[in-house]
Amino acid sequence: MTEPAVETTMEGSVQSSAPNTPWRRLEPRTAAASGVVALGAGAAGGAPTLVGIGIGDASFPMAAVLVVAGVVLLVGAVVVAELVRLARTRFRVGPERVELCAGVVVRARRSLRCERIRSVEITADPVLRVLGLAALRIGTGTAASASEKPLELRALRRADAEALRRTVLDPSAANRRTSNQAADRSDSTADDTLLTSWDPSWLRYAPLSTLTVLLGVVVPGGLWRAADAVGLGDDATTRTVDAAHTMGLVGSLEVGAAVIVVVGVAATVALRAESWWHLRLAREPTGTVHVSRGLLTSRSASLEERRLRGVVLVEPLLPRLVGAAGLEAVATGLSSGGASGRRHDADRSDPKELVPTAPRGLVERVAAAVLGESVVPSATVSWRAHPPAARERRVGWATASALVPTVALAVLGVVLAPGFFALAAVALVLAVVVGRWWGRAGYAALAHGVTGPWVVVRSGMAVRRTVVLRRAGVIGWSMAQTPFQRRRGLVTLWLTTAAGDGRYAIRDVSEPAALTLAEEVLGVTASGACVPVS
Amino acid sequence: MSTVTVPIGPSRLRPPREALDPRVRAWWRLHVVAPPVLAAVVLAILALVLPGAGAWLITALVAVAALGVATAVWLPGLWYRRHRWELTDDAVYTRGGLVWIEWRAAPLARVQTVEGLQGPVQRWFGIATLVVTTASAKGAVTVVGIDDDRASALAAALTRRTQTVPGDAT
């Protein structure tokens, strides 16, 4: 059946598919880049120690010598290790395979068939960028086992990395290129269709996230820790406490909230700018969607278009209220990171993200362009609502969660003072109102439909996600029923795909609707699982 | 030439047609009973070594043993009634789960590999597990306990059939 995407073997046992392709080496200047990073780490560790001791202290000269010697040793060790690694690593890109031979003690040779390559990412941190280098990472959809982890080339010259990316994704172009290299290269950049590019005004959406509060708390906390590390912690603490005394309770709460908001906004805007500045989303003539972005660290990812199974419109609550949405790709070779546990926070490098939070109309136009449609399918689909029982379930769960404070206050009323019962009564009214609103809004978001070659699924209240999935990309289904759902005749249907999260849920749909949808999407009768309603 | 058209219309889920091999109950029973037996042995040894805590440990031992016996008596039968599977011309279907019932379907056109697996204990009972994988990391359809000869015959037949259909939608 299907061969594994990557074969890992000891050196010598792989039959070379293209013996005439020369082996290549990584760029030696990578060692310098790693040395600079090590120097930075050493300085970051050593400087606070020296500051803490203080220049006037008698032990300072000795400490300074030790710290400098330690940093020099660290940098030297890193550079030597990198030089050995670079000398022991070679790779070649043939018309059919990408081969990598690496390992200092145990030599492993990995061979990856070009047709199995699903994504190519290029990243360059600031140090690599200054040196004109970039790291290349070649992914093959299945991240099932360690032997199939992406193949990483760190680092190459920037231009080489770009050329290699195009070669790997389109081997036939590579063959053409060998005969007519210069002409082809200028062609391939000229024919790109720009789908969207960065607009600085999108930064206004960055603070509309829970990250704002989190960073607003974490960043000052981190600063205090840093101050503490260099011996200024006690001073900072006494000053803060004194200031709080002079301002009183209300005043210090106000100032505290203001600090959290200001710092949180600044931090989220900075993060968003760092990871999304210079965004360029383009379709290349080879049929590849290419995303490049990043202010300090530049990242670029290529998704082969025929591996693109769909897109997800992501609308968290606050951006949704101001008419903004983000866009993600559903492509094989891009797991959402859930399986490998590599999910970073929303603003880190993640090749599946195509557009950050931006005006919804624009995001929908980009989505349509990525999918090759004139209008995004979620706008043209005739939505099928879910049964009212789904609304009852949502209102029920939301109310139950909202009742937690009521119960806590009532317990306090029993244990501490009856005064808490009044608060519990207020919390009860609030819980019923909020639970009802939240549940109904969640139900309103719940819908699915089929239009042309697409199946569209929408759900979620805190984060509303609209998944547009190519029907041909759905490779199976599963359904599940909890006892609660069974009583109300509801099921959860999952459409399984080779792409993205692996399966997408359509929650709380009626049994007949689930079977109809499964049949429509897969084109296979669900006869093995259903009986007509008599 | 006659084509059967199944009307797309309101329909309800039904259990797949085939039950598992009845011997799977004995295999499950072994699985269910092993952890409480191990725990009981440990508790018994502790009770012998530490006579001071003897009463406590014996109470725990009795509780563990009672729990083990109860699950060994009830669970395999319940699972056996709940687990069902079916192979049609188009797809493989399974149903399983006790509280959380789950149906799974894999259209044969999208199947990547079909394997028959048999552990040492399964071999002793003469049963095997059939694993039908698709390109999705979460799409594998597993039939836990069917007769081993039948499992290998099915695996071979399904492999032949899926090979004739090109592409796996990866």
Side-chain angles (χ1 to χ4, degrees):
Chain A
M1 305 270 5
T2 40
E3 266 181 66
V6 185
E7 294 138 27
T8 304
T9 47
M10 290 302 111
E11 188 168 25
S13 60
V14 167
Q15 285 296 314
S16 175
S17 61
N20 51 351
T21 322
W23 285 98
R24 294 166 62 181
R25 293 195 179 279
L26 299 176
E27 174 62 35
R29 282 182 297 156
T30 310
S34 304
V36 171
V37 173
L39 181 64
T49 317
L50 292 182
V51 171
I53 291 171
I55 288 186
D57 198 282
S59 61
F60 184 79
M62 189 61 204
V65 168
L66 280 179
V67 165
V68 170
V71 171
V72 167
L73 265 180
L74 174 74
V75 171
V78 167
V79 169
V80 168
E82 276 290 272
L83 283 174
V84 172
R85 180 182 75 87
L86 292 168
R88 298 285 285 164
T89 304
R90 54 196 183 130
F91 69 96
R92 64 180 173 187
V93 180
E96 283 165 28
R97 292 176 170 277
V98 177
E99 286 166 278
L100 174 71
C101 210
V104 175
V105 183
V106 181
R107 301 280 288 164
R109 182 151 159 176
R110 299 180 69 199
S111 167
L112 201 146
R113 270 162 49 210
C114 284
E115 62 183 75
R116 300 293 292 185
I117 293 171
R118 310 293 162 78
S119 68
V120 179
E121 286 167 57
I122 297 177
T123 52
D125 57 47
V127 178
L128 287 181
R129 280 182 72 179
V130 167
L131 291 171
L133 305 178
L136 192 78
R137 181 200 275 265
I138 303 174
T140 61
T142 46
S145 62
S147 66
E148 299 192 348
K149 64 179 187 286
L151 199 146
E152 199 165 357
L153 302 175
R154 182 186 157 86
L156 301 166
R157 279 207 300 275
R158 181 94 211 178
D160 289 348
E162 290 289 343
L164 208 56
R165 175 176 72 75
R166 287 175 187 272
T167 315
V168 160
L169 284 174
D170 188 11
S172 60
N175 296 341
R176 286 200 305 275
R177 201 165 294 134
T178 43
S179 56
N180 196 1
Q181 194 160 13
D184 198 52
R185 188 174 292 177
S186 62
D187 271 2
S188 51
T189 42
D191 291 351
D192 287 2
T193 331
L194 186 68
L195 302 181
T196 193
S197 58
W198 173 248
D199 180 341
S201 72
W202 296 348
L203 280 178
R204 67 181 186 273
Y205 299 117
L208 300 177
S209 138
T210 47
L211 209 60
T212 306
V213 177
L214 193 72
L215 289 174
V217 173
V218 167
V219 170
L223 285 177
W224 184 83
R225 287 289 293 270
D228 198 36
V230 299
L232 301 172
D234 292 339
D235 191 34
T237 311
T238 39
R239 274 163 191 251
T240 315
V241 172
D242 287 350
H245 271 299
T246 51
M247 282 185 293
L249 178 65
V250 178
S252 32
L253 279 180
E254 279 172 5
V255 169
V259 165
I260 288 175
V261 167
V262 168
V263 173
V265 167
T268 46
V269 166
L271 265 183
R272 179 65 54 89
E274 202 287 309
S275 43
W276 288 96
W277 207 278
H278 296 314
L279 168 71
R280 191 173 175 280
L281 180 66
R283 168 176 283 124
E284 295 176 346
T286 51
T288 302
V289 173
H290 185 226
V291 198
S292 57
R293 61 191 173 97
L295 189 60
L296 300 177
T297 296
S298 74
R299 320 165 173 90
S300 95
S302 300
L303 307 174
E304 223 192 344
E305 200 169 18
R306 64 193 168 92
R307 303 294 183 198
L308 200 68
R309 292 280 170 272
V311 292
V312 185
L313 255 90
V314 186
E315 298 166 280
L317 183 56
L318 289 177
R320 186 163 81 235
L321 292 177
V322 298
L327 189 68
E328 292 177 0
V330 178
T332 54
L334 295 180
S335 80
S336 62
S340 54
R342 209 168 50 83
R343 180 101 179 112
H344 305 304
D345 59 277
D347 267 314
R348 299 322 300 165
S349 166
D350 191 346
K352 78 176 197 294
E353 291 185 60
L354 299 180
V355 183
T357 314
R360 195 193 150 94
L362 178 135
V363 171
E364 285 186 332
R365 280 197 300 281
V366 174
V370 167
L371 296 174
E373 295 275 328
S374 53
V375 184
V376 70
S378 57
T380 55
V381 70
S382 56
W383 292 106
R384 300 173 201 167
H386 291 217
R391 182 175 55 218
E392 287 158 34
R393 283 200 81 205
R394 267 160 191 68
V395 171
W397 281 112
T399 312
S401 325
L403 279 175
V404 171
T406 311
V407 173
L409 287 169
V411 169
L412 285 178
V414 173
V415 178
L416 288 177
F420 281 104
F421 283 122
L423 286 176
V426 174
L428 177 69
V429 174
L430 274 176
V432 170
V433 172
V434 169
R436 194 175 159 78
W437 166 73
W438 188 273
R440 286 177 162 255
Y443 174 74
L446 203 60
H448 65 272
V450 174
T451 172
W454 308 101
V455 54
V456 193
V457 180
R458 191 182 67 192
S459 73
M461 176 60 194
V463 179
R464 187 168 80 183
R465 306 179 137 257
T466 311
V467 183
V468 181
L469 209 58
R470 195 179 287 278
R471 280 157 71 181
V474 177
I475 55 177
W477 55 257
S478 56
M479 290 187 208
Q481 228 175 14
T482 63
F484 297 111
Q485 288 179 312
R486 201 169 325 155
R487 223 176 40 220
R488 299 179 178 201
L490 301 175
V491 291
T492 297
L493 169 71
W494 281 279
L495 299 175
T496 42
T497 73
D501 291 344
R503 63 183 196 175
Y504 291 90
I506 302 155
R507 293 185 195 285
D508 292 338
V509 66
S510 74
E511 271 181 36
L515 289 163
T516 309
L517 185 67
E519 189 160 331
E520 267 177 282
V521 170
L522 279 160
V524 170
T525 56
S527 60
C530 66
V531 285
V533 169
S534 48
Chain B
M1 294 295 278
S2 70
T3 48
V4 181
T5 51
V6 176
I8 298 182
S11 42
R12 306 267 305 176
L13 281 166
R14 70 158 171 78
R17 291 211 166 77
E18 295 214 47
L20 298 178
D21 191 291
R23 285 172 288 182
V24 77
R25 280 178 296 187
W27 182 61
W28 274 331
R29 193 158 286 134
L30 208 64
H31 270 247
V32 169
V33 122
V37 163
L38 272 178
V41 167
V42 170
L43 285 171
I45 291 172
L46 282 177
L48 286 178
V49 176
L50 308 166
W56 259 98
L57 289 166
I58 288 181
T59 317
L61 196 155
V62 170
V64 164
L67 202 74
V69 168
T71 48
V73 167
W74 286 102
L75 270 186
L78 287 177
W79 273 334
Y80 180 71
R81 257 167 282 157
R82 189 51 62 69
H83 278 84
R84 302 188 70 88
W85 68 284
E86 183 168 342
L87 174 67
T88 68
D89 288 343
D90 306 314
V92 187
Y93 301 91
T94 58
R95 186 189 72 173
L98 204 61
V99 178
W100 167 276
I101 305 178
E102 186 163 356
W103 286 259
R104 278 172 173 261
L108 295 186
R110 307 287 165 80
V111 167
Q112 274 193 335
T113 62
V114 186
E115 290 173 86
L117 301 176
Q118 195 179 37
V121 186
Q122 279 183 313
R123 185 170 311 144
W124 192 52
F125 284 112
I127 55 173
T129 301
L130 192 70
V131 183
V132 179
T133 53
T134 60
S136 169
K138 296 183 180 142
V141 172
T142 310
V143 189
V144 199
I146 48 182
D147 180 81
D148 49 7
D149 291 336
R150 185 147 183 230
S152 43
L154 273 173
L158 277 174
T159 303
R160 267 198 309 280
R161 241 155 94 184
T162 52
Q163 263 167 354
T164 58
V165 188
D168 53 17
T170 47

